[in-house]
Each structure stands twice: as structure tokens, then as C-alpha cells.
């Protein structure tokens, strides 16, 4: 395996000095890139793209050919685990993900097994191995999973949701059933992420997209507790290097201290929190990732640059910041605007790292 040429992203996650602030974008491979749409058309549908290691590798590398990004992220989806549990994932055009067999009762939860990462999920590990080989040490590869709570919302709702009534009904009427499901998901996520590290992932991120719809008490009991259990069970070193872990709860700004106390290396921020406040609250306990509003990429390159400057100034001098969007890039953003964003981060951040 070739040695890593650019470790800026890994160093920032460990709060070690860097020359500039590293940057990558959530959902950096995707439909805003015409080359992604072409490869997806070649694969047929989205899951066929995920199951084809060569094509998954191709779309992972596409944004890196356009932009000087400081990390690559595995091209896959968080819903691979529920699919491997037998729920039958499919995508309805324009409707997002759906399950043929959602989880509706205690008996459904009892039937669920822990997927074998090199069995039903072997296609993900093959993608990781292929991407690591093709990256040739240019930048580190991020592996990822959904949080147990976020995966459970899709499994119980049967797809995307706005009000989360089915899973909240389970949470309040049958909490032991939901806890059994979350336990199985935590074990599955732990073995899935450890297998990604064994296959070559150099950093890990857990997406808790829907933790922010919970009350503070329920967030601890039904989401954070399970992410903390996963963090405890993860392989934290590979090839003699630390494998940093980032936790991202969308709309989780009010729980930063609790998230930082799980033992993770970094906390991902959405745009609803001021990064200067976030840094004051977590001190030097963890690194921070974020947090420009993805919709800012609709603005002019000049306006984007101003926003980048303001976020860099908010974080201030010194290491521990990975620049990112506060959530995934929108599918109708001009690729040139993403390029201007990345270039601004690199250029304007140098003065925050001098000396
Ligand atoms: O480049 C990358 O960031 C890596 C790939 C990646 C995808 N999904 C590809 C994808 C990652 C990290 C994810 C994570 C994911 N998937 C999350 C957590 C992050 C977040 O956005 O909050 C969630 C909640 C999902 C579930 C999911 N998958 C949804 C809701 C959708 C449909 C939404 C949409 O944009 O259509 C997907 C499909 C999906 N996953 C696409 C991509 C590129 C679009 C599929 C297509 O090509 O049509």
C-alpha cells in the first residue's frame, strides 16, 4: 500500500498542526456532478452502483478529480445494513428510499440478525478495498454508517419521514422493542465499521441525521447511548495510525458537550450553530467539522468566500477544524461553486495556521 501523501484531514481530526484547514463535502459524490449521473445510468440504479466495486470506486474518485479535496468518502449508503437485515431496500424515483418489509412489531425485531460484513455486506468491503487501491495514497478514505436511531427511523417508518409518528409510537408505547432493535443495530454498525477499517478505511463517520427530532432525554436514551457504545467497540488504530471517529447529529447543537464526551475524536456541526460558540463549549476535547449552510453554494463565489472567511474566523487560530458543509450538497448546485468553496477554504485558512 502506498504511503499517505496528504494527511491534513487526519491530523486536523487529531487536533495536530496543519498548514491549512482541510475540506471535504458531505455527499461530494452525487447528482450535482454530470459524470456521476453518467456512471449511475451505466450501473442502472443506485443500489447496483453501490454493489459494483469498480463503479462505486469510479464515483468516489470523480469529485477528487475535479477538486483538491482533502478526503475521499466511500460511495455507499447508510441503508445497506437494514437491506442486509432483509428489509428489501428500493428507491422510488423522486421519493427517496423505501423498504418492502418495514419493522412493525416485536416479532419483526426478534427475527432480525446481525449481518456479516464480509457476507451480505461483502460488496461494501470490496468497494472499500478497490477505492483504497485506486486512491494510491493521495488522501485518506472515510468509511461510514448511520447511527442506530437514524437507521431505525427508516426501518420502522418504511422510508423517509417528516413526523416520525411510527417510530415515536414504538418509542413511547413499546420502548423495550425499540431498545432491542437499537441494540441489534449498534452491534451491526460496530462490526460493519470495524470491517471497513480492516478493508482500508482510515477514518470513520457516523451519520445521526434524525437524532435532532428527539427530546433531550430521549436523545440520550435512544440515540447517543448507542453511538457511545459503538465508539467503545471500534478499532481505533490501523497500520500504526489512529483511525479517528466523527459523530454528526443533525440539529444536535444543544447536545455538543454530551456528544464530545462519548470518546469520539470529532463532532460534526450543521449550520444552525455558531462554530465559535461550539468551540468555546467543547474546548480542546474534540475537533469540529463543519459548518457552512449547503444552500450558500447557490450564492456567488464572492458571497461563498465571505461565508468561508466568517466560519474560519469563528473557529479561529490553531488546529482542530475540518471544513465541511453542515449537511449534504444539494443536487442542483453548480460544480464551479463547490470548486470556489474548496479553493476559498484552502487559500483563506493558511493565515490561521501560521507559526
Ligand atoms: O459522497 C458521499 O457523501 C458518499 C455517499 C453517501 C450517500 N448516502 C450516497 C447517496 C453517503 C455518506 C450517504 C449517507 C446517507 N444516506 C444518509 C446520511 C447523511 C445525510 O444526508 O443525512 C442518509 C440519511 C441516507 C439515506 C438516503 N440515501 C436518502 C434519504 C437518499 C435519497 C435522497 C436523495 O438525495 O435522493 C439516499 C440515496 C442516495 N445516497 C443518493 C446518493 C448519491 C442519491 C441516489 C441517486 O443517485 O439517485
Amino acid at each position: 500500500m502506498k504511503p499517505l501523501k496528504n494527511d491534513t484531514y487526519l491530523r486536523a481530526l487529531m487536533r495536530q498542526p496543519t498548514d491549512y484547514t482541510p475540506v471535504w463535502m458531505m455527499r461530494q459524490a452525487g447528482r450535482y456532478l454530470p459524470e456521476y449521473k453518467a456512471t449511475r445510468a451505466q450501473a442502472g440504479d443506485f443500489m447496483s452502483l453501490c454493489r459494483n466495486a469498480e463503479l462505486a470506486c469510479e464515483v468516489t474518485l470523480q469529485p477528487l478529480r475535479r477538486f483538491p479535496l482533502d478526503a475521499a468518502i466511500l460511495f455507499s449508503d447508510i441503508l445497506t445494513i437494514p437491506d442486509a437485515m432483509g428489509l428489501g431496500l428500493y428507491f422510488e424515483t423522486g421519493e427517496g428510499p423505501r423498504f418492502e418489509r418495514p419493522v412493525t412489531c416485536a416479532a419483526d425485531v426478534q427475527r432480525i440478525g446481525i449481518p456479516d460484513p464480509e457476507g451480505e455486506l461483502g460488496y461494501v468491503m470490496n468497494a472499500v478495498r478497490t477505492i483504497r487501491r485506486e486512491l494510491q495514497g493521495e488522501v485518506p478514505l472515510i468509511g461510514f454508517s448511520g447511527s442506530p436511531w437514524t437507521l431505525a427511523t427508516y426501518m420502522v417508518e418504511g422510508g423517509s419521514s417528516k413526523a416520525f409518528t411510527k417510530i415515536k409510537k414504538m418509542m413511547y408505547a413499546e420502548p423495550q422493542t425499540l431498545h432491542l432493535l437499537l441494540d441489534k443495530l449498534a452491534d451491526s454498525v460496530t462490526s460493519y465499521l470495524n470491517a471497513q477499517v480492516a478493508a482500508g478505511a482510515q477514518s470513520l463517520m457516523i451519520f445521526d441525521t434524525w437524532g435532532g427530532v428527539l427530546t433531550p432525554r430521549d436523545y440520550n436514551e435512544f440515540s447517543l447511548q448507542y453511538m457511545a457504545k459503538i465508539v467503545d467497540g471500534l478499532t481505533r488504530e490501523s497500520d500504526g495510525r489512529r483511525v479517528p471517529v466523527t459523530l454528526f447529529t443533525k440539529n444536535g447543537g444543544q447536545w455538543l458537550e454530551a456528544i464530545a464526551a462519548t470518546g469520539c475524536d470529532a463532532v460534526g456541526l450543521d449550520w444552525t450553530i455558531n462554530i465559535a460558540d461550539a468551540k468555546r463549549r467543547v474546548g480542546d476535547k474534540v475537533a469540529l467539522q463543519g459548518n457552512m449552510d449547503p444552500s450558500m453554494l447557490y450564492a456567488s463565489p464572492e458571497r461563498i468566500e465571505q461565508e468561508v472567511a466568517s466560519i474560519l474566523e469563528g473557529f479561529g487560530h490553531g488546529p482542530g477544524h475540518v471544513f465541511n458543509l453542515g449537511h449534504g450538497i444539494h443536487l442542483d448546485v453548480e460544480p464551479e461553486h463547490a470548486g470556489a468553496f474548496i479553493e476559498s477554504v484552502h487559500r483563506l485558512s493558511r493565515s490561521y495556521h501560521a507559526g
Side-chain angles (χ1 to χ4, degrees):
M1 202 66 83
K2 295 234 172 100
L4 193 53
K5 291 175 212 160
N6 174 359
D7 65 353
T8 314
Y9 161 77
L10 294 179
R11 294 180 61 83
L13 288 176
M14 292 178 293
R15 287 166 291 114
Q16 294 169 352
T18 56
D19 293 338
Y20 61 89
T21 304
V23 56
W24 68 281
M25 298 185 295
M26 283 195 249
R27 295 279 186 102
Q28 63 193 22
R31 285 165 297 185
Y32 75 106
L33 294 177
E35 58 270 34
Y36 169 83
K37 285 191 259 191
T39 309
R40 207 192 88 158
Q42 194 186 330
D45 57 26
F46 173 68
M47 281 312 287
S48 306
L49 179 53
C50 294
R51 287 180 199 280
N52 182 322
E54 297 301 324
L55 295 183
C57 174
E58 166 59 23
V59 294
T60 300
L61 299 183
Q62 283 170 351
L64 294 144
R65 292 190 194 116
R66 270 192 190 249
F67 313 122
L69 292 155
D70 294 291
I73 181 162
L74 162 68
F75 188 83
S76 187
D77 199 77
I78 63 166
L79 300 177
T80 51
I81 287 181
D83 185 54
M85 287 174 161
L87 274 65
L89 173 66
Y90 67 101
F91 284 84
E92 205 74 90
T93 329
E95 300 273 332
R98 290 275 177 81
F99 288 111
E100 284 166 25
R101 293 170 291 279
V103 169
T104 60
C105 60
D108 287 349
V109 174
Q110 277 149 13
R111 269 196 295 273
I112 287 174
I114 312 296
D116 173 3
E118 289 289 357
E120 307 92 293
L121 291 164
Y123 67 94
V124 179
M125 306 311 144
N126 289 339
V128 172
R129 284 184 280 264
T130 306
I131 297 163
R132 253 313 282 282
R133 190 187 68 222
E134 295 300 317
L135 266 174
Q136 299 186 33
E138 285 301 328
V139 291
L141 176 62
I142 306 169
F144 72 91
S145 171
S147 72
W149 164 258
T150 291
L151 295 178
T153 66
Y154 288 97
M155 295 169 76
V156 175
E157 298 290 335
S160 301
S161 176
K162 286 206 164 77
F164 301 95
T165 49
K166 294 193 181 91
I167 191 152
K168 288 196 174 182
K169 181 176 177 187
M170 187 183 275
M171 178 170 74
Y172 291 133
E174 257 190 282
Q176 46 327 326
T177 301
L178 182 54
H179 276 305
L180 179 61
L181 175 58
L182 293 168
D183 245 323
K184 289 186 175 189
L185 283 166
D187 288 349
S188 303
V189 169
T190 305
S191 76
Y192 182 59
L193 290 176
N194 283 337
Q196 289 184 31
V197 172
Q202 291 149 296
S203 157
L204 295 171
M205 175 149 170
I206 299 177
F207 290 94
D208 185 29
T209 306
W210 301 117
V213 305
L214 292 166
T215 67
R217 180 203 57 225
D218 296 328
Y219 175 69
N220 268 309
E221 183 178 341
F222 293 94
S223 186
L224 190 60
Q225 185 196 161
Y226 291 96
M227 290 199 283
K229 190 177 164 198
I230 293 165
V231 170
D232 270 345
L234 291 177
T235 313
R236 301 297 277 276
E237 216 189 278
S238 179
D239 292 337
R241 267 196 104 118
R242 184 161 179 92
V243 180
V245 180
T246 302
L247 299 187
F248 170 68
T249 294
K250 184 156 170 274
N251 254 295
Q254 60 174 320
W255 305 312
L256 272 191
E257 293 84 351
I259 301 170
T262 56
C264 64
D265 298 273
V267 178
L269 307 174
D270 71 15
W271 62 91
T272 63
I273 182 168
N274 180 301
I275 198 166
D277 292 338
K279 192 178 177 195
R280 232 172 275 124
R281 284 168 54 195
V282 300
D284 53 14
K285 208 171 160 62
V286 288
L288 293 174
Q289 175 179 284
N291 70 338
M292 192 174 88
D293 186 334
S295 295
M296 185 56 76
L297 293 181
Y298 293 129
S300 66
E302 294 70 35
R303 181 68 188 90
I304 293 169
E305 177 172 330
Q306 271 176 20
E307 192 70 4
V308 165
S310 145
I311 292 168
L312 286 170
E313 182 60 26
F315 186 86
H317 288 264
H321 184 200
V322 172
F323 218 112
N324 205 314
L325 306 173
H327 200 205
I329 186 169
H330 297 308
L331 55 85
D332 55 350
V333 156
E334 297 286 346
E336 292 70 28
H337 288 209
F341 162 66
I342 292 154
E343 190 275 326
S344 298
V345 174
H346 281 163
R347 177 166 40 83
L348 299 176
S349 65
R350 289 195 175 261
S351 66
Y352 292 94
H353 297 275

